Amino acid sequence: MLLTPEIIPNAYTPPPRRLLGPGPSDISTRVLQALAKPTIGYLDPSFVGMMEELKTLLRYSFQTKNALTFPVSGPGSAGMEMCFVNMVNHGDKVIVCRNGVFGGRMVENVERCGGKAIVIDDVWGQAVSPQKVEDAFKQHPDAKVLAFVHAETSTGALSDAHTLCKIAQQYGALTIVDAVTSLAGVPVLVDEWGADAVYSGSQKCLSCTPGLSPITFNERAIAAVKARTQKCQSWFLDLNLLLGYWGETTRTYHHTAPTNSLYALHESLLVLQQEGLEQSWARHRSNHEALKAGLAVLDIHYVVDELARLPQLNAIHIPTGVDDKAVRAAMLQQHGIEIGAGLGALAGKIWRIGLMGYSSRVENVIACLGALEAVLVSQGYQCQQGRAVAAAYQSYAQQALV
Ligand SMILES: *Cc1c(COP(=O)(O)O)cnc(C)c1O
């Protein structure tokens, strides 16, 4: 007997939203339309040509000449895991910086690979301390790898990747850098830093569909992977096997590439190339400044000190007496705006307003401030009404003068 179907009458239609959380970010019509192009074979010569263009576009976004630069078929977490399963052997010491949720996941990865994690903790909301990293290397000069998160999405803190990579190099260690939220929002300069393995995500400042993880490995990292004596614990993420599909010479079946998602990534990277990296960074900064001006009027304060603040991820303290969940629900249901909740230790204490990629636009800053003010006022929050949006416009006007 076949099961009778439970009738679902309609196609799914998502409600209109402004995605101003920690990702995914809004996707432009241009990128969405790329998804609807006809699927072709992942070994079709035309598709293979598109793959080469993708690699070229990704090298620009990462500012690297690394030949091995490609999108992993999986979300940012898959890119993270690909770095660890290939670069950490049983018994390897790995110095891991933990100043938020994602650093914690790196520790998990090291341990699951049979490595020994030397964990350096920093206060959530602060950048990774280079001094602590240096001290850890002095104590553990045999550490093989340094791993850290460039832009901690859980707290909104930016760390000094250049300095951290240079410290690792002094001690002959490889670096694994999480650039999921930083790529295209703030400078990610892979070659200048000498970072060895760097991964990102498609759905943050690249504003593509979730589920792809751009990644890049330099020659040092590849040599370390090729010199492994133990088999990589993951078949799917084994770099040596994937080279057969994404490498320089061969194109053999490894897994079926997510063709249409890759069209979308190609389009979003083309958008980035056409805007220019520096212009993209400047746009993220500009919209952040305007949002910040509006939040200041609402007497809402940032979690992170000015110097380490991410423009694309605004982590702010929830004012006392305000109901976290009720505000986020009203923002979503009445205004169609998604903002992010706090994670882990910061749950219920902060909101995370993302202005990433295509979401980083004037109209979103204005809509968000207007809605937030209205919702807060409806909760009995005391503030000078009507001032937040005006302050944001004033910020834009001032920015235009300089
Ligand atoms: C979002 C994020 C990830 C995980 O990416 P997924 O695509 O959700 O797997 C990893 N690191 C950081 C810093 C992130 O912001």
Side-chain angles (χ1 to χ4, degrees):
M1 267 266 285
L2 287 177
L3 291 175
T4 49
E6 272 184 63
I7 303 298
I8 310 287
N10 295 315
Y12 177 67
T13 305
R17 299 283 191 235
R18 290 178 200 272
L19 299 180
L20 307 184
S25 55
D26 284 340
I27 302 181
S28 65
T29 310
R30 183 175 159 182
V31 171
L32 286 176
Q33 280 172 345
L35 282 164
K37 291 181 182 172
T39 302
I40 59 174
Y42 58 89
L43 292 175
D44 188 306
S46 169
F47 191 77
V48 168
M50 197 274 305
M51 288 165 69
E52 287 306 313
E53 290 185 1
L54 257 180
K55 292 201 266 183
T56 302
L57 289 162
L58 281 175
R59 285 186 197 108
Y60 169 69
S61 72
F62 277 124
Q63 289 292 289
T64 184
K65 296 201 168 94
N66 289 343
L68 190 56
T69 304
F70 66 99
V72 179
S73 302
S77 307
M80 179 187 279
E81 193 138 345
M82 174 172 274
C83 291
F84 285 94
V85 294
N86 284 286
M87 289 168 67
V88 178
N89 286 281
H90 275 267
D92 281 356
K93 270 190 190 174
V94 180
I95 297 178
V96 188
C97 307
R98 181 169 60 186
N99 61 339
V101 166
F102 293 101
R105 288 191 181 177
M106 286 179 148
V107 176
E108 265 295 311
N109 268 273
V110 171
E111 289 171 350
R112 284 167 190 243
C113 293
K116 184 173 181 341
I118 313 292
V119 184
I120 306 176
D121 276 302
D122 278 291
V123 175
W124 286 30
Q126 288 182 11
V128 169
S129 153
Q131 187 57 53
K132 285 190 192 170
V133 171
E134 177 107 49
D135 293 345
F137 271 115
K138 280 187 187 138
Q139 263 191 24
H140 304 277
D142 55 339
K144 293 270 166 52
V145 176
L146 169 69
F148 65 89
V149 179
H150 184 215
E152 240 310 342
T153 322
S154 63
T155 68
L158 178 69
S159 288
D160 181 354
H162 195 177
T163 300
L164 295 173
C165 287
K166 294 298 167 210
I167 296 169
Q169 283 153 25
Q170 277 167 26
Y171 289 88
L174 294 171
T175 40
I176 297 176
V177 183
D178 179 318
V180 175
T181 281
S182 47
L183 191 68
V186 291
V188 173
L189 308 171
V190 170
D191 285 1
E192 192 177 314
W193 298 345
D196 299 296
V198 185
Y199 60 92
S200 188
S202 49
Q203 80 279 28
K204 310 229 173 167
C205 295
L206 295 179
S207 280
C208 180
T209 43
L212 291 171
S213 177
I215 201 165
T216 184
F217 295 94
N218 68 10
E219 290 300 329
R220 270 196 305 261
I222 296 169
V225 174
K226 288 199 168 148
R228 281 179 73 101
T229 50
Q230 303 155 4
K231 253 189 181 178
C232 174
Q233 72 184 53
S234 166
W235 178 86
F236 185 65
L237 297 172
D238 185 337
L239 198 53
N240 282 314
L241 299 179
L242 260 168
L243 282 172
Y245 185 55
W246 279 104
E248 288 296 272
T249 45
T250 51
R251 281 286 177 278
T252 52
Y253 173 65
H254 175 267
H255 66 277
T256 308
T259 42
N260 294 50
S261 297
L262 293 174
Y263 301 159
L265 183 64
H266 185 280
E267 195 64 23
S268 67
L269 290 167
L270 215 52
V271 170
L272 177 64
Q273 188 199 59
Q274 286 163 0
E275 179 179 26
L277 269 177
E278 284 170 302
Q279 287 77 8
S280 178
W281 301 332
R283 174 170 52 82
H284 283 88
R285 163 93 18 225
S286 162
N287 290 316
H288 161 75
E289 288 298 334
L291 181 76
K292 186 177 78 176
L295 292 171
V297 167
L298 294 175
D299 200 24
I300 291 178
H301 303 281
Y302 276 81
V303 173
V304 179
D305 280 349
E306 189 107 38
L307 281 176
R309 222 173 262 170
L310 284 171
Q312 66 271 52
L313 198 284
N314 297 263
I316 51 177
H317 292 287
I318 300 174
T320 36
V322 167
D323 184 340
D324 168 27
K325 280 197 183 129
V327 169
R328 282 187 292 109
M331 289 289 282
L332 191 68
Q333 277 146 25
Q334 292 162 20
H335 301 273
I337 297 175
E338 177 178 282
I339 63 168
L343 279 186
L346 295 173
K349 300 191 174 129
I350 69 165
W351 289 318
R352 293 178 299 153
I353 302 181
L355 294 172
M356 297 181 179
Y358 188 63
S359 289
S360 178
R361 276 175 295 147
V362 174
E363 64 185 85
N364 284 341
V365 170
I366 299 304
C368 180
L369 286 170
L372 187 62
E373 185 187 273
V375 171
L376 286 172
V377 167
S378 77
Q379 285 244 331
Y381 184 71
Q382 300 288 324
C383 64
Q384 299 167 291
Q385 282 188 57
R387 293 277 316 281
V389 166
Y393 278 122
Q394 205 169 16
S395 163
Y396 286 121
Q398 276 163 1
Q399 292 177 39
L401 292 177
V402 290

